[in-house]
Amino acid sequence: MNEIDPRTSAARSCPICGKPVDPEFKPFCSKRCADIDLNRWLSGVYAVPAKEDEDEDGERPAESEAGET
Ligand SMILES: [Zn+2]
Protein backbone atom coordinates (compact mmCIF):
# COMPACT_ATOMS: atom_id res chain seq x y z
CA MET A 1 0.00 0.00 0.00
CA ASN A 2 1.32 3.35 -0.99
CA GLU A 3 0.80 6.23 1.31
CA ILE A 4 1.44 8.61 -1.51
CA ASP A 5 -1.28 7.99 -4.00
CA PRO A 6 -1.16 10.27 -7.02
CA ARG A 7 -4.89 10.06 -7.28
CA THR A 8 -5.46 11.48 -3.85
CA SER A 9 -3.03 14.27 -4.44
CA ALA A 10 -4.47 15.15 -7.79
CA ALA A 11 -6.43 18.14 -6.65
CA ARG A 12 -3.39 20.09 -5.66
CA SER A 13 -1.24 22.50 -7.52
CA CYS A 14 0.74 22.13 -10.68
CA PRO A 15 4.14 20.57 -9.92
CA ILE A 16 5.67 22.72 -12.61
CA CYS A 17 4.47 26.20 -11.82
CA GLY A 18 2.28 25.78 -8.76
CA LYS A 19 -0.91 27.02 -10.30
CA PRO A 20 -4.22 25.30 -9.58
CA VAL A 21 -4.60 22.06 -11.47
CA ASP A 22 -6.88 21.94 -14.43
CA PRO A 23 -8.81 18.65 -14.44
CA GLU A 24 -8.31 18.49 -18.15
CA PHE A 25 -4.54 18.47 -17.80
CA LYS A 26 -4.27 16.76 -14.44
CA PRO A 27 -1.97 16.78 -12.58
CA PHE A 28 -0.87 19.93 -14.35
CA CYS A 29 -2.47 23.30 -14.84
CA SER A 30 -2.10 23.37 -18.57
CA LYS A 31 -0.86 21.45 -21.56
CA ARG A 32 2.27 23.54 -21.51
CA CYS A 33 3.22 22.37 -18.07
CA ALA A 34 2.35 18.81 -18.98
CA ASP A 35 4.67 19.11 -21.96
CA ILE A 36 7.39 20.58 -19.80
CA ASP A 37 7.15 17.69 -17.40
CA LEU A 38 7.04 15.22 -20.22
CA ASN A 39 10.13 16.72 -21.79
CA ARG A 40 11.94 16.64 -18.49
CA TRP A 41 10.93 13.07 -17.99
CA LEU A 42 11.94 12.04 -21.47
CA SER A 43 15.26 13.81 -21.37
CA GLY A 44 15.92 12.46 -17.93
CA VAL A 45 15.01 8.84 -18.40
CA TYR A 46 15.47 8.28 -22.07
CA ALA A 47 18.44 9.99 -23.56
CA VAL A 48 16.91 10.07 -26.97
CA PRO A 49 17.42 13.00 -29.28
CA ALA A 50 14.22 14.91 -29.33
CA LYS A 51 13.03 15.49 -32.82
CA GLU A 52 11.89 19.02 -33.23
CA ASP A 53 8.53 19.14 -34.84
CA GLU A 54 7.52 22.20 -36.69
CA ASP A 55 4.91 23.14 -34.23
CA GLU A 56 3.76 26.57 -35.08
CA ASP A 57 3.47 27.86 -31.61
CA GLY A 58 4.72 31.25 -32.63
CA GLU A 59 7.63 30.93 -30.30
CA ARG A 60 11.20 30.44 -31.32
CA PRO A 61 14.21 30.20 -29.07
CA ALA A 62 16.08 33.43 -29.42
CA GLU A 63 19.56 32.26 -30.15
CA SER A 64 20.82 35.63 -31.12
CA GLU A 65 19.03 38.91 -31.12
CA ALA A 66 21.52 40.44 -33.49
CA GLY A 67 19.20 40.45 -36.41
CA GLU A 68 17.52 43.81 -36.41
CA THR A 69 19.49 46.73 -37.53
ZN1 LIG B 1 1.58 24.72 -14.42
Side-chain angles (χ1 to χ4, degrees), residues 11-52:
R12 287 169 63 187
S13 51
C14 175
I16 303 299
C17 68
K19 287 181 182 176
V21 169
D22 189 320
E24 195 173 339
F25 301 107
K26 222 163 36 171
F28 307 101
C29 71
S30 62
K31 188 179 187 300
R32 181 168 292 272
C33 283
D35 285 343
I36 291 173
D37 185 78
L38 180 65
N39 284 326
R40 284 185 185 175
W41 188 83
L42 288 175
S43 57
V45 180
Y46 300 105
V48 291
K51 194 174 184 182
E52 300 254 307

